[in-house]
Amino acid sequence: MKRQLLAALIAAQIPVTASIAADTALQEELLVIGSRDNRTIQLAETVEITADAAQLLKKAPGANVNGNGPLTGIPQYRGMFGDRIKVTVNGSTLSSGGPNWMDPPLSYAPAAQLESLEVTRGIAPVSAGQETIGGAINATTWSGDFSESNDFAVSARLRAGGQSVNRGSLGSATLVVANHSHKFKLSALTEQGDDANFSGGSGSKVEPSEYKRQRFDLGYGLRFGNHSLQFDLGSNQTDDTGTPALPMDIDYIDADLASAHYAFDSGELAANLRIYGSNILHGMTNFHLRQAPMAKGMYRQNIAEGNNRGFKFDIATGNWKIGLDGHLETHDSNIDNINNSNFFVVNFNDAEREIFGAFVEHQYEFSNGLETELGLRANRVVMDAGEVDGTPARMMMAMSGMSSGMGMPMMTTMMPGPGMRMRDTFNSADRSQQDNNIDWVAKAYLPTSDVTTLYAGLARKSRSASYQERYLWLPLQATAGLADGRTYTGNLELKAEVAHELELGFDFDGQDLTLSPRVFYREVTDYIQGTVTGDGNANAFVAMMNTMNSTSNAAPLQFNNVDAELYGFDMDWRYRLDNNWSLSGLVNYVRGQRVDSDAKDNLYRIAPFNGSLALNYAGAQWGISVEGVVYDEQSQVSSYNREQASSGYGVLNLRGQWQLNSGTRLGFGVDNALDRYYSEHLAGTNRVSGNADIAKGEHLPGYGRNAYARIDVEF
Ligand SMILES: [Cu+2]
């Protein structure tokens, strides 16, 4: 199987000790292991101490990250992001607890605890997850191995590090006690940082960009014959953490995670059953980390609760793999004002999204070497939400008009306000919705020589609306982290998005040169995005709030179905100069447009054309890398989202590593070594008032020069 092949590749190539790595090892080459289907980022081979695993995605072709805060990176792949990308952690799905995705699924896989981060290249197999319209990513945490003996042995991974840009620090420890049939794991992580500097004059800081997180995990594994069982419990405690691109900051994210995994493998037949769940409690405010609103009446706190329950079952035998999976998420979100106990908004009440899927996948190798993958998946999505209410929905509106009688004075009558009308429309509507979605995948690989394989893929992928897109009843910015500053309302009648995609490319794996370019074209019918709302009440509500609060918020958008296309090109490559020196790089280009007849526009928040070039030296005990990263301007921006264009830039990064002895490794580096001022298009714009160095509405600057060091101990 491919996975075993990949595992063998990893086992064969990773220098476990310096002695194995002697002579010719190109250590840097092992950071991202490519197979034709995916890119696996080996966390042990990284040197950074980034808290946010999503930032590491930039090492994989086609991948990027929408950064709303230091722990809040939302993966982007080939122009799609958020719910469109299936993120799993150890094979389990996890939906964000917060309505604005301050805790994206990948935030539950802290970088320091990861073994690997696997990005599926291009069209994801139907077995990779339920809704993979934009791709699939799986993070795997390190959990040790069973030994071959009766006696218990201890193994561990310890990591400590610090960085200068935000005086950030990291400490992580995982201990495993195992013999051939039992395995106990204990893991703890703490990481924190202050507001980060940027190159804008002395003392310029991105505020608030501080972060603080702790994480504890317990695991037990049991192995008997061809069977194994694994139980895991985790507790994530995120504390005060900034999200300057969003209207509020994180007060707390308390998440409890549990999973059980049964695996059977006889060689001829492999089966997996995963059952998992999580409870997430999350508080955020617009006053505790950023400058509070002038008016006491504008203070806001949002308490959200999100729960996940799910399972995944699959059996693989011969060329076939079949499976069943299910995922249920429920969400509550309530907004209040600590200065006014009467104020409340029931933002989401028991919003439910349930999805059940079944898939079958077939892989075959013909005698001429042609390999094919065919997959078919059916998903059923069932959604519902409870009734809502809120202070803004209890306001009457004064209407003045002439009375009917001649000569009588003006009369004022009280009418339901627009918020009340929206509430009543929502509460009296049939909010339960069902979609039946069909996905299929067809891929072929044809080797044309010892070093070249041609690739073609064709797929249909679908995604049903998220609970925010369907059930946001009052114009608010609870949009799964879009961070465009616009208010939105949902749409109960949204149809599922359906994408048809064509992908072509080849893999060249020569003596000194490897490269694997891909071009793709994806046409999406019923693509869900915000457009001008036809709901007069939503427009009237925002206008009324602007008058009452002396604000100037833009007219609200509504999530609607449009048509879109995305196309582009991406490639990673490496050229070996000699046994120690190599060059490597990435090229990524994606273009996204709305194409239905109503209005032509660019899609929102698409990564600009970008590339990187690195010169690497890898010796027996140490290695260094000098990397230039270049981003073009992004001028093809979405007018609906009032997205601002951004300028291009280049950044120089230096990285090094030193294997002190067989179990100890030192990593160090300087990011943005020239301390350039730049802003990443995907980092969004500043929503925080009162920062003298960054105006509200301006692009958030990238971090300044950052020197860091990390020590990894492994035994
Ligand atoms: Cu939040």
Side-chain angles (χ1 to χ4, degrees):
M1 304 282 300
K2 297 238 171 42
R3 194 130 313 182
Q4 285 160 348
L5 179 70
L6 183 67
L9 273 172
I10 295 168
Q13 291 190 27
I14 287 185
V16 179
T17 66
S19 56
I20 296 176
D23 305 335
T24 60
L26 283 166
Q27 293 178 22
E28 186 66 21
E29 193 166 35
L30 308 167
L31 171 61
V32 180
I33 294 182
S35 79
R36 63 190 191 191
D37 292 330
N38 49 48
R39 290 293 178 275
T40 303
I41 299 159
Q42 297 298 317
L43 271 290
E45 300 299 326
T46 64
V47 293
E48 295 93 338
I49 65 159
T50 177
D52 189 357
Q55 292 296 332
L56 299 168
L57 294 171
K58 292 175 185 168
K59 298 177 190 297
N64 218 303
V65 56
N66 295 4
N68 289 340
L71 299 182
T72 305
I74 297 174
Q76 173 166 146
Y77 188 73
R78 291 184 175 173
M80 285 190 162
F81 52 84
D83 278 313
R84 294 188 176 102
I85 298 180
K86 179 54 134 197
V87 173
T88 49
V89 179
N90 296 323
S92 297
T93 297
L94 213 150
S95 307
S96 293
N100 231 342
W101 274 47
M102 287 177 182
D103 61 333
L106 207 48
S107 69
Y108 293 99
Q113 294 188 325
L114 289 188
E115 169 81 12
S116 65
L117 188 60
E118 184 185 325
V119 181
T120 300
R121 185 103 198 257
I123 296 166
V126 294
S127 58
Q130 294 180 311
E131 291 176 304
T132 56
I133 190 168
I137 294 168
N138 183 43
T140 305
T141 51
W142 184 74
S143 57
D145 296 309
F146 292 101
S147 74
E148 294 309 319
S149 111
N150 229 334
D151 303 325
F152 280 93
V154 179
S155 59
R157 287 199 181 180
L158 313 172
R159 178 176 298 174
Q163 62 185 356
S164 65
V165 78
N166 53 9
R167 291 194 285 173
S169 64
L170 156 72
S172 164
T174 302
L175 273 176
V176 170
V177 179
N179 70 0
H180 61 77
S181 54
H182 300 278
K183 188 176 71 171
F184 301 89
K185 181 185 106 168
L186 187 63
S187 180
L189 164 80
T190 172
E191 53 193 350
Q192 48 274 311
D194 294 338
D195 291 333
N197 301 320
F198 69 93
S199 176
S202 71
S204 301
K205 286 185 187 301
V206 182
E207 288 171 343
S209 58
E210 63 187 273
Y211 63 93
K212 193 173 187 187
R213 170 163 65 183
Q214 296 190 315
R215 168 97 191 209
F216 304 96
D217 289 87
L218 269 177
Y220 170 69
L222 176 66
R223 189 170 71 165
F224 47 103
N226 295 326
H227 310 263
S228 69
L229 266 170
Q230 176 73 35
F231 299 95
D232 286 292
L233 291 174
S235 166
N236 176 92
Q237 295 159 15
T238 302
D239 230 308
D240 291 346
T241 298
T243 46
L246 296 173
M248 296 188 184
D249 299 301
I250 298 167
D251 185 6
Y252 58 88
I253 299 166
D254 292 335
D256 295 320
L257 314 128
S259 66
H261 177 201
Y262 165 76
F264 172 82
D265 193 347
S266 69
E268 271 143 45
L269 190 142
N272 287 282
L273 173 63
R274 287 188 163 82
I275 300 170
Y276 58 86
S278 59
N279 294 353
I280 304 165
L281 198 61
H282 166 47
M284 53 190 148
T285 85
N286 68 350
F287 56 83
H288 85 292
L289 288 188
R290 63 183 63 192
Q291 185 181 57
M294 304 278 258
K296 295 282 180 207
M298 296 296 286
Y299 278 55
R300 293 288 179 271
Q301 172 176 257
N302 188 346
I303 310 289
E305 191 179 345
N307 295 323
N308 290 283
R309 300 288 181 267
F311 73 93
K312 182 168 184 181
F313 173 66
D314 59 59
I315 292 186
T317 181
N319 300 317
W320 294 90
K321 187 174 193 179
I322 57 169
L324 291 171
D325 40 34
H327 184 78
L328 165 67
E329 54 180 302
T330 57
H331 300 272
D332 290 287
S333 172
N334 293 287
I335 302 169
D336 62 51
N337 179 353
I338 55 161
N339 299 314
N340 176 2
S341 57
N342 292 323
F343 179 86
F344 76 102
V345 175
V346 179
N347 178 13
F348 295 104
N349 174 26
D350 201 18
E352 284 185 4
R353 189 178 195 273
E354 213 171 9
I355 170 165
F356 287 102
F359 66 85
V360 55
E361 205 166 79
H362 181 259
Q363 296 194 352
Y364 194 76
E365 183 174 350
F366 293 84
S367 53
N368 65 350
L370 172 71
E371 285 184 59
T372 56
E373 175 190 317
L374 300 172
L376 181 67
R377 169 183 273 279
N379 288 329
R380 177 167 173 80
V381 182
V382 180
M383 297 176 68
D384 204 355
E387 295 192 352
V388 293
D389 197 3
T391 327
R394 294 184 175 184
M395 286 191 290
M396 303 293 281
M397 210 168 56
M399 296 284 285
S400 46
M402 297 295 288
S403 71
S404 53
M406 290 276 287
M408 298 290 281
M410 288 273 280
M411 296 276 289
T412 302
T413 51
M414 297 304 280
M415 304 270 292
M420 189 179 287
R421 292 198 296 266
M422 276 186 285
R423 177 196 66 188
D424 295 344
T425 304
F426 184 88
N427 287 347
S428 60
D430 178 8
R431 297 179 298 279
S432 69
Q433 297 285 339
Q434 295 86 36
D435 291 323
N436 295 305
N437 302 329
I438 298 289
D439 287 7
W440 54 255
V441 167
K443 295 202 261 189
Y445 299 87
L446 181 66
T448 55
S449 75
D450 286 350
V451 291
T452 310
T453 302
L454 301 180
Y455 163 75
L458 202 59
R460 173 196 156 107
K461 291 287 179 69
S462 53
R463 179 188 75 99
S464 286
S466 68
Y467 76 95
Q468 296 97 324
E469 289 163 339
R470 237 196 251 290
Y471 297 125
L472 187 54
W473 64 279
L474 195 67
L476 288 171
Q477 294 187 44
T479 56
L482 288 183
D484 59 352
R486 303 290 301 257
T487 58
Y488 283 74
T489 54
N491 180 348
L492 295 173
E493 306 300 328
L494 283 173
K495 286 179 279 189
E497 299 178 334
V498 177
H500 287 91
E501 178 170 1
L502 171 68
E503 191 189 10
L504 298 170
F506 67 89
D507 297 323
F508 179 85
D509 194 358
Q511 179 81 23
D512 298 318
L513 178 70
T514 60
L515 65 117
S516 55
R518 295 283 189 275
V519 293
F520 65 93
Y521 176 82
R522 190 194 273 144
E523 173 193 84
V524 192
T525 51
D526 294 322
Y527 183 84
I528 298 170
Q529 76 157 44
T531 65
V532 168
T533 181
D535 181 353
N537 289 323
N539 284 312
F541 179 81
V542 171
M544 191 176 87
M545 287 297 136
N546 279 338
T547 308
M548 281 175 63
N549 301 323
S550 315
T551 51
S552 53
N553 288 323
L557 300 177
Q558 183 179 37
F559 287 112
N560 282 309
N561 290 116
V562 301
D563 294 324
E565 66 176 18
L566 297 113
Y567 57 84
F569 167 84
D570 45 62
M571 174 174 91
D572 52 353
W573 61 271
R574 172 172 290 269
Y575 182 68
R576 186 168 148 140
L577 298 166
D578 65 20
N579 279 345
N580 299 110
W581 292 93
S582 67
L583 290 167
S584 60
L586 292 172
V587 183
N588 299 305
Y589 172 73
V590 57
R591 176 94 176 92
Q593 299 177 86
R594 180 179 171 187
V595 293
D596 54 296
S597 56
D598 284 0
K600 291 250 176 193
D601 194 9
N602 301 304
L603 297 188
Y604 172 65
R605 218 175 188 184
I606 301 278
F609 180 43
N610 67 85
S612 67
L613 172 63
L615 173 65
N616 315 297
Y617 174 86
Q621 252 87 46
W622 60 280
I624 51 164
S625 179
V626 181
E627 176 194 54
V629 179
V630 183
Y631 275 74
D632 196 6
E633 61 171 20
Q634 182 56 289
S635 54
Q636 290 165 327
V637 291
S638 160
S639 58
Y640 270 110
N641 300 79
R642 293 195 180 178
E643 188 182 18
Q644 294 173 44
S646 62
S647 313
Y649 62 89
V651 175
L652 184 73
N653 303 317
L654 310 171
R655 279 191 281 273
Q657 54 186 309
W658 182 23
Q659 191 80 36
L660 294 167
N661 60 45
S662 65
T664 311
R665 184 167 165 277
L666 193 66
F668 46 88
V670 185
D671 284 340
N672 190 8
L674 304 178
D675 203 25
R676 291 280 297 273
Y677 176 90
Y678 70 101
S679 50
E680 292 182 54
H681 186 73
L682 300 185
T685 56
N686 179 36
R687 306 282 168 212
V688 179
S689 304
N691 185 332
D693 303 313
I694 319 169
K696 198 171 179 179
E698 194 180 315
H699 270 289
L700 280 161
Y703 291 178
R705 181 185 295 129
N706 181 32
Y708 57 86
R710 177 180 114 182
I711 187 157
D712 289 11
V713 178
E714 195 179 318
F715 58 85

